[in-house]
Amino acid sequence: MLGGYMGEILFVDLSKGKITEESVPDGVYRDFIGGIGLGARVLYERMKPKADPLGPDNMLGFVTGPFTGTPVPASGRYTVVTKSPLTGAWSDTNSGGSFGPELKAAGYDAVFFSGISPKPVYLWLSSGKAELKDASHLWGKDTVDTEDTLLKELNEPKARIACIGPSGESCSLIAGIVTEKGHLAGRGGAGAVMGSKRLKAVAVRGNKKVPVANAEKLRAPREATLKSFQTSDFQKGLYALGPGGGTSHLVGMGEVGIKNWLLFGIESMPTCTNLDTANVEKYKLRRAACHGCPIACGAILELKEGPFAVPGEVNRPQYETLAAFGLMCLNDNVESIIKANSICNRYGVDTISAGSIIAFAIECYDHGIISDKDTGGIKLTWGNAKAIIAMLEKMVRREGFGAVLADGAKKASGKIGKGSEEFAMHVHGREIPMHDTRNWPARSAGYVVDAEASNHCFSDGAMMLELGVPLGFDPALQAPKVELHGDYENKGPLYKTGFEFFELLSSAGLCAFATIFNPGVPVAEFIAAVTGWDFTWAEGLNAGHRILTLRQAFNVREGLTPEEFKLPQRMVLSATTGPNAGVKVDVNALTTHCFAALGWDIKTGKPYRRTLINLGLDELTKDL
């Protein structure tokens, strides 16, 4: 028996209202693992090249990994794959909670949608049965009301819902998909794809158990991993205060910029300590955790009073949200960020993009490029918390100037013009995450080498190796000694290993927080125990390389080249303030060495024929 998989995936043609079930060959699972990998395999094989991201030919997949729903710790993840309407490139966006494990319990490893429904619908999956149901009464509702309505309507309080809010319905290109009222598959505009298909929600409930091939073999690595979580300073910090607990510490070490990446360091914003999540503990109702996760980095808040009061409960803002609506906007009012997080969760919007876009708009206002006449009287000045919330509310509703901002900073700057392009901080249309490339050069390579651009977790493994931290005990996972801001010619193979490692753990269904600064999480050993394969780290990293390369082939087939994936000039120049003042990263050199190590052509982006053959992708990608 093959463990870790349910063996079935579902295909839903929304145009025809047709649902089909297909079995997956064991070899496809082994080659592509699950999650990102399985999603890339299905989309590359079944999607028409150059499909309109908001048209019927684009596909949208909800995909789990072999760890999802098993006793492997921190494995409650699922991935949404599609062609991004924000960038026109490959997109995979990851989320936690309990939706992924429930999808497996309903009997499926993945569900893929194509076509466009004539009317709003939602998919109901319950223990192997699939049904499209009318969602006209849900259209226009926010994600909280949608979930509450569906749970009552289905009479299944333990069902898990993935849905879009009004921003997804209006096809805002920064719209995401929300599960359990606060977990977002947020990046790349997957919510807009869902909205374009008139798919309001996917509801799942199951009673099937995910098989594990060798439970005894799983026990030792599981116990070792749980013990490592208890001793890791990073994971202990996550448990205590969540991902935003050290926001000011990251400012102090130069990890993140301030004022739309113009300034750096504590001296540029001494009040950034207000944004540490220790300051939101007084609003905390209870701790929250994803399925099967002992780290429990989440929390549920309640903010009942004041100008930024929120309706009901809200998830605690994570670091990226605190930095985007706080540091980027020179805003130290943490209550306003709790409010912004609530708005984004209810309307279904990516907080990284939303906060970055507001910062872009503030800089435009600061330079006189836009005025009160454009903003509808909202005075978009730096640090003006009330104005930030007012403009965010317009953006999520596509009202007034908010409609200009709703599709990302790149498109907004194209409409505004007047030199505003300089203030739009993005790579190929997707806003920059809250991690500076000059602090860790691996970030710069990750932002432009990855097929989906500006991925805030993709370079974590490469960053650890660059810092001299091994990814595990296997010889293939060791960290060669390199200079942080040098040795570019030696970093291509190092980054390649880090990128492969991330693709493997993510495709398997493991949370990145389980492995950051926690070397030795036995991903390959977990795969061997769960599936029953004689699986090694060498095979695992090779699978990671295969997944990376197929995603890159997807972009090449779409006509995209490496020249289009460039950091904004503001992130290429030397920093002028903060701990990295004077530091400059030669991202072109790093990119060149990465492409060489991965076996891809630096000019065209096309994987070399020998690379495709070695990875067993030559037949699948013969259309390149």
Side-chain angles (χ1 to χ4, degrees):
M1 176 191 73
L2 180 61
Y5 302 100
M6 308 311 289
E8 303 290 335
I9 58 178
L10 209 63
F11 291 92
V12 182
D13 184 332
L14 292 166
S15 296
K16 299 177 180 178
K18 182 181 179 182
I19 301 174
T20 57
E21 188 176 290
E22 295 187 20
S23 299
V24 180
D26 289 0
V28 171
Y29 282 131
R30 187 157 188 167
D31 283 348
F32 296 97
I33 308 300
I36 301 171
L38 181 59
R41 176 69 166 77
V42 170
L43 263 60
Y44 194 95
E45 183 177 41
R46 296 177 184 245
M47 261 183 68
K48 293 180 180 179
K50 311 292 175 63
D52 177 356
L54 299 179
D57 292 330
N58 193 13
M59 293 182 70
L60 179 76
F62 295 73
V63 198
T64 66
F67 294 169
T68 311
T70 73
V72 173
S75 60
R77 312 299 292 183
Y78 78 98
T79 299
V80 176
V81 296
T82 192
K83 180 180 178 181
S84 169
L86 185 64
T87 65
W90 168 264
S91 177
D92 53 70
T93 179
N94 194 279
S95 185
S98 300
F99 178 85
E102 200 68 30
L103 177 59
K104 292 276 282 285
Y108 301 101
D109 294 310
V111 54
F112 292 90
F113 297 90
S114 61
I116 294 177
S117 175
K119 64 179 181 180
V121 294
Y122 71 92
L123 179 69
W124 170 227
L125 293 179
S126 179
S127 298
K129 296 180 181 180
E131 180 184 4
L132 285 171
K133 300 173 77 73
D134 184 27
S136 299
H137 62 300
L138 301 173
W139 207 252
K141 289 183 181 292
D142 69 24
T143 61
V144 173
D145 289 344
T146 296
E147 179 166 329
D148 287 344
T149 300
L150 278 176
L151 293 178
K152 184 176 180 180
E153 183 176 300
L154 295 169
N155 196 27
E156 281 285 2
K158 292 186 178 180
R160 294 293 178 259
I161 314 295
C163 64
I164 56 172
S167 292
E169 294 174 3
S170 68
C171 295
S172 166
L173 301 190
I174 61 167
I177 299 168
V178 183
T179 61
E180 296 158 84
K181 303 178 181 178
H183 295 279
L184 259 77
R187 308 229 66 204
V193 176
M194 201 163 162
S196 72
K197 296 185 178 302
R198 298 192 185 93
L199 176 65
K200 179 64 175 178
V202 179
V204 295
R205 181 73 180 114
N207 56 15
K208 298 184 178 182
K209 187 175 180 179
V210 181
V212 172
N214 193 328
E216 184 61 33
K217 190 176 180 180
L218 180 62
R219 184 172 291 111
R222 182 178 185 275
E223 290 176 355
T225 300
L226 290 172
K227 180 176 283 189
S228 75
F229 290 164
Q230 295 170 356
T231 57
S232 163
D233 288 340
F234 180 75
Q235 271 108 27
K236 284 192 291 185
L238 287 173
Y239 178 81
L241 292 172
T247 298
S248 64
H249 173 71
L250 294 177
V251 173
M253 64 187 289
E255 176 70 0
V256 60
I258 295 166
K259 201 178 179 182
N260 202 26
W261 298 100
L262 285 169
L263 302 174
F264 298 87
I266 291 284
E267 65 276 11
S268 298
M269 188 179 173
T271 57
C272 68
T273 53
N274 292 349
L275 303 180
D276 293 338
T277 50
N279 295 306
V280 304
E281 286 298 285
K282 60 184 176 182
Y283 310 113
K284 186 168 79 172
L285 292 175
R286 59 186 179 276
R287 186 181 298 279
C290 295
H291 176 91
C293 182
I295 299 173
C297 68
I300 303 300
L301 311 180
E302 189 176 58
L303 177 55
K304 290 183 175 181
E305 299 176 346
F308 302 111
V310 300
E313 299 176 354
V314 60
N315 282 59
R316 180 173 60 196
Q318 296 197 11
Y319 162 72
E320 301 281 348
T321 307
L322 291 161
F325 285 105
L327 302 172
M328 287 297 130
C329 299
L330 214 60
N331 172 29
D332 63 4
N333 187 310
V334 75
E335 289 190 350
S336 72
I337 301 174
I338 295 172
K339 174 75 169 180
N341 196 46
S342 175
I343 292 169
C344 288
N345 287 349
R346 283 179 172 269
Y347 278 81
V349 165
D350 172 28
T351 59
I352 295 175
S353 284
S356 298
I357 295 163
I358 297 288
F360 156 80
I362 293 173
E363 191 166 357
C364 288
Y365 187 91
D366 191 42
H367 282 76
I369 292 173
I370 60 175
S371 66
D372 290 351
K373 182 179 178 181
D374 298 298
T375 65
I378 298 173
K379 297 191 179 300
L380 278 178
T381 53
W382 295 109
N384 187 339
K386 290 184 178 179
I388 290 166
I389 295 301
M391 185 52 68
L392 176 62
E393 288 178 330
K394 284 186 174 293
M395 185 164 69
V396 297
R397 294 169 182 158
R398 276 196 183 275
E399 294 175 355
F401 191 70
V404 176
L405 303 178
D407 293 327
K410 180 183 179 181
K411 286 184 169 57
S413 66
K415 294 175 182 177
I416 296 168
K418 302 178 185 178
S420 64
E421 296 83 358
E422 178 188 347
F423 313 146
M425 302 297 289
H426 66 87
V427 174
H428 199 63
R430 198 162 87 148
E431 286 69 29
I432 300 284
M434 305 298 121
H435 305 275
D436 187 35
T437 59
R438 284 153 296 209
N439 210 42
W440 315 117
R443 297 285 191 200
S444 64
Y447 287 168
V448 299
V449 171
D450 184 33
E452 66 170 349
S454 269
N455 188 324
H456 62 296
C457 289
F458 174 74
S459 55
D460 284 344
M463 181 185 73
M464 288 171 61
L465 292 173
E466 187 172 56
L467 291 172
V469 181
L471 298 174
F473 304 113
D474 192 271
L477 303 176
Q478 301 311 298
K481 187 176 178 60
V482 294
E483 293 182 18
L484 180 61
H485 293 291
D487 287 335
Y488 288 175
E489 66 278 4
N490 297 319
K491 286 188 175 178
L494 178 153
Y495 287 176
K496 172 179 176 286
T497 299
F499 297 161
E500 291 169 344
F501 176 80
F502 178 79
E503 293 301 289
L504 176 65
L505 73 89
S506 186
S507 293
L510 193 64
C511 178
F513 281 166
T515 60
I516 301 174
F517 303 119
N518 187 16
V521 175
V523 183
E525 290 86 345
F526 279 143
I527 291 177
V530 168
T531 64
W533 297 326
D534 183 15
F535 197 85
T536 65
W537 272 107
E539 182 176 354
L541 294 177
N542 196 52
H545 191 191
R546 182 178 298 111
I547 296 163
L548 285 165
T549 300
L550 187 57
R551 292 159 79 246
Q552 178 66 16
F554 181 97
N555 279 2
V556 172
R557 193 172 68 171
E558 294 301 312
L560 301 174
T561 65
E563 183 63 29
E564 298 174 64
F565 289 70
K566 294 292 184 183
L567 285 170
Q569 191 67 13
R570 192 171 290 179
M571 299 195 78
V572 173
L573 300 174
S574 301
T576 56
T577 61
N580 294 318
V583 173
K584 184 178 180 179
V585 177
D586 188 346
V587 66
N588 290 330
L590 286 177
T591 303
T592 298
H593 291 301
C594 276
F595 270 66
L598 289 163
W600 307 343
D601 183 80
I602 188 61
K603 293 188 181 299
T604 65
K606 184 177 179 179
Y608 295 125
R609 190 70 184 162
R610 64 178 181 274
T611 304
L612 296 170
I613 292 172
N614 289 340
L615 294 172
L617 294 173
D618 49 316
E619 187 64 26
L620 180 64
T621 60
K622 61 185 177 182
D623 57 346
L624 285 184

